[in-house]
Amino acid sequence: MPSSSQVSDLTCALHVSDEVRALAPGFGCLAVEAHGLTNGPSDEAGAALLDDATRRLAARLDGRAPQDDPHIAAWRAAYTAFGSKPSRTRNSAEALARRALADGGLPRINRLVDLYNAISVAHLIPVGGEDLDRIQGGMRLVRATGEEPFVTAAGGAEVIEYPDAGEVVWCDDEGVTCRRWNWRQGVRTRLTEDSVSALFLLERMAPMTPAALAAAGAELAEALHRACPDARIEIGEIWSP
């Protein structure tokens, strides 16, 4: 059940299963829904956000490796709990942080993806972005049966994979949208330069607090307003223990 009345303002139904809550009782999630967006190729504003996020990350870590941060350590423990190897399939926050600190720096994808990647790196939290117009039905965070289709890309072509039984996945009525919680997003619902409506999912594990997650969500909403002044943006809390 929603833990905030704000979630009723969202057009996309969202649900976290009891099995996932039992697996990671310190998990919390915040949704930011945006309509009337204008996406496009990466630009200087997005590059500046990514560069600033990298500086903020470096200051937070103060020479430590990303996996030594308490929040990332908690995500690694959650991955281990459902049978994933966190050093092989890293949560998205850790993977992006490692790229940010590497010589090549963060990739530039498109305006919206660059924006939410900057929030992820600055706050060291997993953030995902989905095209609302491509989501079928609602979004659910569940433990997979292993029979849900997942559309990904290999060698320039779309291929269908299936999650492991018990794997934590985000899915809609058509199949998996993101495997291993927030490790790999599918191509079917990803944000493209043509996307005009989006659902952003910001996720935390204790010891990160609900207030800190809300601050990250507010920063994302503000950045979206700056990039797309005419957009309509709603924030709703899905689950916060």
Side-chain angles (χ1 to χ4, degrees), residues 21-203:
R21 296 179 185 186
L23 177 75
F27 171 69
C29 187
L30 194 74
V32 176
E33 197 176 274
H35 301 266
L37 296 168
T38 303
N39 201 7
S42 298
D43 56 18
E44 291 184 2
L49 284 174
L50 290 168
D51 290 343
D52 179 65
T54 299
R55 289 190 289 270
R56 291 165 66 181
L57 172 69
R60 170 178 176 148
L61 293 176
D62 193 25
R64 295 175 299 158
Q67 64 266 27
D68 295 328
D69 183 272
H71 190 224
I72 296 302
W75 273 106
R76 283 184 158 234
Y79 269 49
T80 300
F82 70 82
S84 183
K85 295 181 178 179
S87 293
R88 173 180 286 183
T89 54
R90 295 183 176 90
N91 70 83
S92 65
E94 181 181 349
L96 267 182
R98 289 169 63 89
R99 293 194 69 171
L101 299 173
D103 290 340
L106 288 166
R108 273 56 170 168
I109 309 297
N110 60 52
R111 291 178 68 212
L112 292 178
V113 175
D114 293 350
L115 193 156
Y116 80 72
N117 278 347
I119 298 298
S120 174
V121 170
H123 292 267
L124 201 53
I125 58 171
V127 182
E130 308 285 353
D131 189 320
L132 268 174
D133 295 325
R134 296 178 179 273
I135 294 172
Q136 303 299 313
M139 291 279 288
R140 302 179 299 280
L141 185 65
V142 302
R143 300 198 71 174
T145 66
E147 298 179 357
E148 303 90 340
F150 174 71
V151 182
T152 186
E158 289 190 359
V159 297
I160 296 178
E161 298 177 352
Y162 295 88
D164 299 327
E167 182 181 322
V168 176
V169 297
W170 279 102
C171 63
D172 64 3
D173 290 350
E174 193 168 319
V176 173
T177 59
C178 194
R179 284 197 61 187
R180 290 181 186 151
W181 215 314
N182 47 50
W183 165 64
R184 178 183 291 172
Q185 184 183 34
V187 300
R188 176 170 58 86
T189 58
R190 66 185 175 185
L191 292 172
T192 70
E193 293 182 15
D194 296 324
S195 298
V196 295
S197 297
L199 173 70
F200 302 94
L201 297 169
L202 295 78
E203 301 176 293

